[in-house]
Amino acid sequence: MKSLIKILVVAVVLVAVSCKKDSAPNYQFMPNMYESVGYETYGEAAFRDSIEAQKPVEGTVPRGYIPFDIKNTTEGYELAKTTLVSTLDSTQVDLERGKALYDIYCGICHGNKGDGQGKLVKREKILGIPSYDDVGRAITAGSIYHTIYYGKNTMGSYANQLNEEERWQVVAYVLKLKSDLEK
């Protein structure tokens, strides 16, 4: 009886191995998963308006994006200047990381000390960059964040280059530079 079982097992293994073809793919259990139907981007499809490329659903927010509710206006700037505060607590502020980000994105114009004497200013490519300690320039964390987010005058927005946490790190570093210049 034992030898009959051994012979039967060997026969089943031989049959299973002999059915495998290296030149042809094996059986596909769900072929539509492997060979999907290709739709043309703006071609007809089975959607309500017969277009394949659909707009996002109303109210959707991209992953990792946090909406900023203050508008890009003078009133919005003043509102941010007076009301907006950092979301980072004192343990989350990393001035070395803020310095690294500042040197990459801001130092070329504003200078590594925040004195408005960056390389582009010294080469006269950009003019009129004020120092952080200029009289009448009462910058706050909110005004710095608003300016980084939207840009101001000839400075463009850095909202796409810096995420929210990185923007607050740069804000903390700019406030440190401002206090260093005022000493």
Side-chain angles (χ1 to χ4, degrees):
M1 184 72 175
K2 288 184 180 180
S3 61
L4 183 60
I5 292 174
K6 289 180 182 176
I7 293 172
L8 186 60
V9 167
V10 168
V12 169
V13 169
L14 285 175
V15 168
V17 170
S18 65
C19 291
K20 182 178 184 291
K21 290 184 182 178
D22 288 334
S23 61
N26 291 332
Y27 180 74
Q28 295 177 351
F29 293 102
M30 295 181 188
N32 59 346
M33 296 281 291
Y34 297 104
E35 301 164 11
S36 63
V37 177
Y39 293 107
E40 289 295 323
T41 305
Y42 295 104
E44 288 190 27
F47 294 112
R48 62 179 170 251
D49 56 0
S50 299
I51 296 177
E52 179 63 30
Q54 298 291 305
K55 292 182 179 177
V57 177
E58 184 76 27
T60 57
V61 177
R63 185 176 300 197
Y65 174 76
I66 299 171
F68 187 53
D69 294 331
I70 299 176
K71 302 285 185 223
N72 185 16
T73 61
T74 305
E75 294 81 20
Y77 177 80
E78 292 300 325
L79 177 68
K81 187 175 188 175
T82 57
T83 62
L84 192 61
V85 293
S86 177
T87 58
L88 303 178
D89 62 12
S90 61
T91 61
Q92 293 174 316
V93 173
D94 183 3
L95 291 177
E96 289 191 20
R97 185 161 177 243
K99 178 185 179 342
L101 293 168
Y102 178 88
D103 289 344
I104 292 169
Y105 297 107
C106 313
I108 191 80
C109 296
H110 291 277
N112 292 336
K113 296 177 185 174
D115 56 359
Q117 295 300 310
K119 289 189 186 287
L120 292 179
V121 173
K122 288 179 181 175
R123 293 179 184 168
E124 297 180 358
K125 302 292 182 187
I126 297 176
L127 301 174
I129 304 292
S131 176
Y132 293 139
D133 68 338
D134 282 351
V135 178
R137 184 141 194 246
I139 59 176
T140 64
S143 66
I144 297 166
Y145 187 88
H146 189 275
T147 302
I148 292 171
Y149 195 87
Y150 289 118
K152 189 167 179 153
N153 299 331
T154 58
M155 178 181 153
S157 170
Y158 284 88
N160 289 334
Q161 289 84 359
L162 299 167
N163 63 33
E164 182 185 20
E165 187 264 336
E166 291 172 336
R167 288 190 289 265
W168 283 117
Q169 296 290 354
V170 171
V171 167
Y173 186 71
V174 167
L175 290 174
K176 178 197 174 297
L177 289 176
K178 181 179 190 269
S179 69
D180 290 347
L181 286 171
E182 290 174 343
K183 288 181 183 177

